[in-house]
Amino acid sequence: MKKLILPIFCGVLLISSCENKTANKVAFDSEAAKKDIESWQEQFETAVKNKDSVAFANLYSEDAIRMVPNSTEIQGRSTIQSSVVEPFKFIGSTDLVTTDAFGNDSTLTCSGTYQHYLPDGSPLEKGKYISIFKRIDGKLLVVRDIWNSDSAGK
C-alpha cells in the first residue's frame, strides 16, 4: 500500500497542477475588430477622396506589400505613397465593403469588395480584395494587400 501512495500522490499533483490556459484568456472581440476595420476603411476612403498620398501610405506598415493587379508588387510605405499619386489623378472616390473578417488581437484578415468612382461620381471599377492587418504600436495597419477587378482584362 505504501508503494502506491507516492505514484497516486504524484498523479494527483500533476493533474491538479494542469491549468486550463484557454479558460484564462480573454475572448477575441470580433465586434471591436470590425469597428477597427471600419475605421481603417473610412480613413482609406478619405485619403483617396482627398488625394492624400501621405495619409494613404500611413495606413500601411513600413514593410507592407501591395500586390497590384497585372504589375509587380509594391514594397514599403514610401513606395506605396509614390505609387498612388498617379491613380489619385483620375479616381474621385472609393467605397470599401467588408464581407468577411477573422483573426486575433494582433492579426486580422479582411476580405471584401471595392468600387472606384470617377471625380464626377460615375463608376470606374469594381472588384474584390483581401487585406492582412497587424496591430503595430496599438494601431491597425495593413501589412499585405491584394485586389483584382471584376472587369475582364483588356
Side-chain angles (χ1 to χ4, degrees):
M1 182 70 172
K2 288 183 181 181
K3 291 181 182 180
L4 290 176
I5 292 176
L6 184 59
I8 292 172
F9 176 74
C10 289
V12 170
L13 184 62
L14 178 65
I15 290 171
S16 66
S17 68
C18 291
E19 184 179 343
N20 186 353
K21 300 287 183 191
T22 56
N24 292 335
K25 273 188 164 180
V26 176
F28 173 65
D29 189 345
S30 62
E31 289 305 311
K34 287 178 187 176
K35 287 180 181 176
D36 285 347
I37 290 171
E38 288 171 4
S39 173
W40 186 94
Q41 289 177 328
E42 288 173 11
Q43 293 172 62
F44 182 100
E45 292 169 358
T46 299
V48 172
K49 187 175 184 176
N50 294 337
K51 303 179 183 322
D52 187 344
S53 63
V54 173
F56 184 91
N58 284 332
L59 295 169
Y60 291 81
S61 67
E62 285 289 342
D63 60 349
I65 297 175
R66 296 187 85 209
M67 292 166 255
V68 181
N70 306 313
S71 186
T72 58
E73 61 188 27
I74 299 168
Q75 297 183 1
R77 184 181 288 160
S78 62
T79 309
I80 290 170
Q81 179 183 343
S82 62
S83 75
V84 296
V85 171
E86 195 61 33
F88 280 1
K89 291 179 181 176
F90 59 87
I91 296 175
S93 63
T94 297
D95 289 332
L96 300 174
V97 176
T98 299
T99 56
D100 191 23
F102 55 90
N104 56 45
D105 289 329
S106 63
T107 305
L108 295 170
T109 300
C110 172
S111 61
T113 61
Y114 70 89
Q115 174 90 44
H116 292 310
Y117 298 92
L118 293 168
D120 68 3
S122 59
L124 173 65
E125 176 188 51
K126 66 180 181 174
K128 60 233 160 254
Y129 69 89
I130 295 179
S131 297
I132 300 173
F133 296 83
K134 281 197 175 184
R135 287 200 193 281
I136 301 172
D137 297 328
K139 186 175 179 185
L140 197 62
L141 298 173
V142 169
V143 293
R144 299 292 183 272
D145 204 10
I146 188 168
W147 70 98
N148 64 3
S149 174
D150 289 346
S151 303
K154 295 184 182 181

